[in-house]
């Protein structure tokens, strides 16, 4: 369930969209869509969706990151995707209100654009360009989910952690960000002690600095070498390459 979030006073339609998917729309369609949006501030750890829910809203991240977590037995989680300013959340509403299958948790505090699902569905039917963009986006997101699922099954934890940190860096366009041991454990589907060991190994190689959840990538090229090849595949073929997909 989406918890309380602060609503910005200025209308979303008056802003130049920072969301790449919305920015790729022709101006008339983009303006029509933005006029129905409101801008919300969301906090790290905030739930946007739970598996089995039928979303009442669609979300377009602006400067935040949202983790998509597969949930087993109601408590065990594994990150299978990340959505940032390149995409959206809640597309299942376009499939006869089908319930969402993943948990969506805010990874980094920031802002999202929110639109009522029923309103978005009506606009979607009227905008062929939007239909085309969302089809390409969902294909790219599916490619990411599949690749990360394969990665989680076959690759070592240290390489997976390196891949996850690089994906976060790429979306935030920053070498510094905040991720707690607890959140990393949820993302990687392991216990906190496993995260500690993997992070310590990367620190010993002077690839990252990590203290109290504050992460700094010290050697990006080295971290890419430490990551599994899934990082390159997700970057080139998945959602991280959406800039090319939307052109």
């Amino acid at each position: 369930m989406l918890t309380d979030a602060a609503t910005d006073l200025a209308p979303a339609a008056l802003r130049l969209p920072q969301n790449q998917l919305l920015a790729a729309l022709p101006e008339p369609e983009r303006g029509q869509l933005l006029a129905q949006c409101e801008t919300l501030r969301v906090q790290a750890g905030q739930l946007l969706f739970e598996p089995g829910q039928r979303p009442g809203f669609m979300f377009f991240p602006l400067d935040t990151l949202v983790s998509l977590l597969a949930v087993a037995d109601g408590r065990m989680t594994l990150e299978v995707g990340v959505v940032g300013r390149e995409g959206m959340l809640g597309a299942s509403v376009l499939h006869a209100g089908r319930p969402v299958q993943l948990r969506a948790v805010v990874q980094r505090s920031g802002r999202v654009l929110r639109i009522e699902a029923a309103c978005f569905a009506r606009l979607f039917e009227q905008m062929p360009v939007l239909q085309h963009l969302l089809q390409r986006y969902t294909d790219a997101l599916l490619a990411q989910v599949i690749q990360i699922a394969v990665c989680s099954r076959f690759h070592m934890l240290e390489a997976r952690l390196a891949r996850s940190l690089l994906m976060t860096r790429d979306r935030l366009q920053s070498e510094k960000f905040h991720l707690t041991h607890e959140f990393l454990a949820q993302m990687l589907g392991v216990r906190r002690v496993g995260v500690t060991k993997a992070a310590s190994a990367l620190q010993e190689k002077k690839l990252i600095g990590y203290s109290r959840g504050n992460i700094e990538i010290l050697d990006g090229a080295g971290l890419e070498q430490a990551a599994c090849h899934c990082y390159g595949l997700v970057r080139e073929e998945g959602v991280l390459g959406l800039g090319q997909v939307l052109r």
Side-chain angles (χ1 to χ4, degrees), residues 49-50 52-57 92-93 96-100:
F49 302 132
E50 280 281 26
Q53 288 184 339
R54 289 177 171 80
F57 295 94
S92 63
V93 73
R98 187 178 64 190
V100 295

Side-chain angles (χ1 to χ4, degrees), residues 62-82:
L62 299 177
D63 54 4
T64 183
L65 289 181
V66 180
S67 290
L68 301 178
L69 304 172
V71 182
D73 298 327
R75 57 185 181 85
M76 295 182 292
T77 61
L78 176 67
E79 183 180 79
V80 293
V82 185

Side-chain angles (χ1 to χ4, degrees), residues 37-60:
C37 293
E38 59 181 342
T39 309
L40 301 180
R41 295 190 184 278
V42 292
Q43 302 299 320
Q46 188 171 331
L47 291 177
L48 300 184
F49 302 132
E50 280 281 26
Q53 288 184 339
R54 289 177 171 80
F57 295 94
M58 317 280 286
F59 297 92
F60 294 87

